[in-house]
């Protein structure tokens, strides 16, 4: 006998209007709908447990999001897909069973219905590995893959090289710095508060760190921290920070362009890099996504998992409670209030 069809009350977070400028809680609302699942539909109903809160979502909320070919725009009132982890409540396919834990593209909502296919990013979680479920959203999710792929595949660090990481206490930067130390590099990070600077130096093992808000001249600051120049710059910020880093890069330096959060909300802060620096120093700048390394996720995660078990990596997570906290959690990213990976735990 087939199980009965199922309907569940489902709350979801959406935007009230296209977002321009720094996002605020007022740009969002929580709506109610019904999530429907039926036997024989081939679909899977998931109760979401943890939601990933990521700055790139902002670019989907702008009116101009269509200009970014890799970013699907979000219309006011639409549900917002995001990376998340959840538990299967009902399944009409052999691949997933009731009670399975999954991680992949779900949504900022209580429940998500998806249909398994090669184009749907979803995987079952092996809880026998003994890691917290939150790690699937952070170090084993898009943040960890961005950090690992960006450093080792894009920048290819060599022992003894110098590495500068901006937004170094964030979900990606906090991992990049630790990975670079394991590669034998000299690592300096910047962050926006003294508490974050202390975290980088005292807990995460960076060789040095500084508060960029205390530096009136970023080019001079980087010259001070890197008297022999920068070999690798992991870019999360854009704007003046990119200009300062390029001015201090060594010949054949590599820049992994992961994000430019300062430019997302303020077009006036766009970086104006000195391209003569790029030419004469033969600097490589490469933009990338975590998805570029999708085929290597398992390989990366195996290495990272060993490092965590051996105590070589500290995972920093910042968890808020309840679906209604999603708007404030997202807005806080753009005020620099998160430390490590920002997540929301659903009740």
């Amino acid at each position: 006998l087939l199980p009965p069809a199922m309907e569940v009350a489902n709350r979801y977070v959406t935007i009230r209007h296209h977002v321009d400028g720094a996002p605020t809680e007022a740009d969002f609302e929580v709506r109610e709908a019904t999530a429907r699942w039926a036997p024989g539909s081939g679909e899977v109903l998931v109760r979401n447990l943890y939601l990933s809160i990521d700055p790139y979502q902002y670019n989907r909320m702008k009116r101009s999001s269509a200009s970014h070919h890799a970013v699907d725009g979000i219309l006011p009132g639409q549900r917002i897909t995001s990376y998340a982890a959840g538990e299967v409540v009902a399944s009409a396919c052999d691949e997933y069973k009731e009670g399975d834990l999954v991680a992949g593209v779900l949504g900022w909502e209580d429940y998500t219905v998806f249909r398994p296919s090669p184009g749907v990013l979803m995987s079952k979680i092996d809880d026998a590995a003994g890691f917290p479920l939150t790690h699937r959203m952070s170090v084993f999710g898009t943040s960890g893959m961005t950090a690992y792929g960006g450093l080792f595949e894009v920048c290819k660090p060599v022992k003894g090289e110098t590495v500068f990481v901006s937004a170094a206490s964030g979900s990606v930067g906090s991992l990049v710095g630790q990975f670079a130390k394991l590669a034998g590099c000299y690592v300096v990070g910047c962050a926006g508060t003294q508490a974050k600077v202390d975290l980088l130096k005292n807990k995460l093992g960076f060789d040095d760190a500084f508060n960029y808000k205390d530096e009136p001249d970023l080019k001079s600051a980087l010259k001070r921290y890197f008297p022999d120049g920068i070999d690798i710059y992991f870019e999360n910020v854009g704007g003046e920070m990119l200009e300062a880093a390029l001015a201090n890069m060594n010949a054949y330096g590599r820049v992994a362009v992961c994000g430019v959060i300062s430019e997302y909300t303020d077009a006036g802060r766009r970086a104006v890099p000195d391209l003569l620096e790029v030419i004469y120093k033969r600097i490589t700048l490469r933009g990338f996504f975590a998805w570029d390394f999708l085929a290597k996720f398992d390989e990366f995660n195996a290495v990272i998992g060993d490092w965590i078990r051996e105590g070589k990596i500290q995972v920093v997570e910042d968890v808020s409670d309840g679906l209604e906290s999603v708007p404030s959690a997202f807005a806080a990213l753009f005020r620099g209030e998160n430390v490590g990976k920002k997540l929301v735990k659903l009740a």
Side-chain angles (χ1 to χ4, degrees):
L1 287 176
L2 289 174
M6 192 179 295
E7 289 191 353
V8 290
N10 187 34
R11 298 172 305 151
Y12 67 99
V13 176
T14 186
I15 51 173
R16 296 178 189 272
H17 43 245
H18 288 293
V19 181
D20 291 300
T24 69
E25 290 85 336
D27 293 321
F28 300 88
E29 63 179 329
V30 177
R31 292 191 178 184
E32 294 192 4
T34 301
R36 295 180 174 85
W37 173 88
S41 64
E43 294 178 330
V44 181
L45 175 65
V46 177
R47 181 170 67 94
N48 296 329
L49 301 174
Y50 286 96
L51 310 181
S52 178
I53 309 296
D54 302 291
Y56 85 89
Q57 295 275 23
Y58 175 82
N59 293 319
R60 303 177 64 202
M61 300 171 186
K62 293 181 187 176
R63 195 175 302 279
S64 60
S65 63
S67 65
H68 300 281
H69 300 300
V71 177
D72 293 327
I74 298 167
L75 295 174
Q78 267 187 340
R79 58 186 290 277
I80 297 172
T81 55
S82 79
Y83 204 72
E87 180 183 5
V88 173
V89 176
S91 175
C93 74
D94 294 334
E95 194 179 344
Y96 297 94
K97 303 282 186 259
E98 186 180 332
D100 282 348
L101 293 174
V102 297
V105 176
L106 294 164
W108 282 358
E109 56 190 350
D110 291 318
Y111 292 88
T112 298
V113 176
F114 76 92
R115 186 188 300 274
S117 75
V120 173
L121 181 64
M122 190 67 61
S123 62
K124 284 195 278 192
I125 295 171
D126 174 17
D127 56 358
F131 296 111
L133 185 58
T134 54
H135 283 17
R136 298 295 162 182
M137 301 288 89
S138 59
V139 69
F140 297 128
T142 52
S143 296
M145 299 306 96
T146 300
Y148 193 98
L151 183 66
F152 292 107
E153 300 281 321
V154 175
C155 295
K156 303 187 186 306
V158 175
K159 186 177 180 179
E161 286 191 316
T162 56
V163 178
F164 174 49
V165 185
S166 58
S169 67
S171 63
V172 175
S174 61
L175 294 170
V176 171
Q178 296 182 79
F179 294 166
K181 284 303 299 174
L182 290 173
C185 297
Y186 177 81
V187 182
V188 177
C190 72
T193 69
Q194 188 56 44
K196 291 179 179 180
V197 169
D198 293 342
L199 173 81
L200 297 177
K201 294 198 288 189
N202 301 332
K203 182 177 179 181
L204 302 186
F206 283 59
D207 292 291
D208 215 333
F210 64 93
N211 183 346
Y212 66 88
K213 293 177 182 175
D214 292 341
E215 301 290 348
D217 184 340
L218 289 172
K219 289 182 182 177
S220 298
L222 289 179
K223 182 67 178 172
R224 217 166 58 239
Y225 286 97
F226 293 98
D228 297 320
I230 299 168
D231 296 310
I232 291 171
Y233 172 40
F234 206 98
E235 166 68 300
N236 291 300
V237 172
E240 305 95 322
M241 195 69 76
L242 175 59
E243 295 167 21
L246 288 175
N248 283 279
M249 295 290 287
N250 288 328
Y252 301 101
R254 288 88 76 201
V255 181
V257 186
C258 162
V260 286
I261 194 168
S262 76
E263 299 183 18
Y264 291 173
T265 58
D266 183 357
R269 293 188 65 187
R270 280 238 165 101
V272 186
D274 184 344
L275 293 181
L276 287 179
E277 295 269 9
V278 175
I279 294 167
Y280 288 115
K281 292 179 180 176
R282 292 80 147 185
I283 295 170
T284 301
L285 290 88
R286 180 177 150 193
F288 69 98
F289 287 127
W291 312 126
D292 296 344
F293 314 115
L294 189 55
K296 295 190 173 185
F297 272 26
D298 289 345
E299 176 190 327
F300 293 176
N301 278 337
V303 175
I304 295 169
D306 287 342
W307 284 342
I308 295 172
R309 288 189 193 93
E310 293 162 10
K312 294 177 178 177
I313 293 291
Q314 302 292 319
V315 182
V316 183
E317 295 168 343
D318 186 341
V319 184
S320 298
D321 278 313
L323 185 78
E324 59 283 347
S325 74
V326 167
S328 60
F330 185 73
L333 289 178
F334 296 85
R335 298 192 293 261
E337 293 172 8
N338 65 300
V339 180
K341 176 66 182 181
K342 188 66 199 176
L343 302 169
V344 168
K345 179 183 181 182
L346 300 188

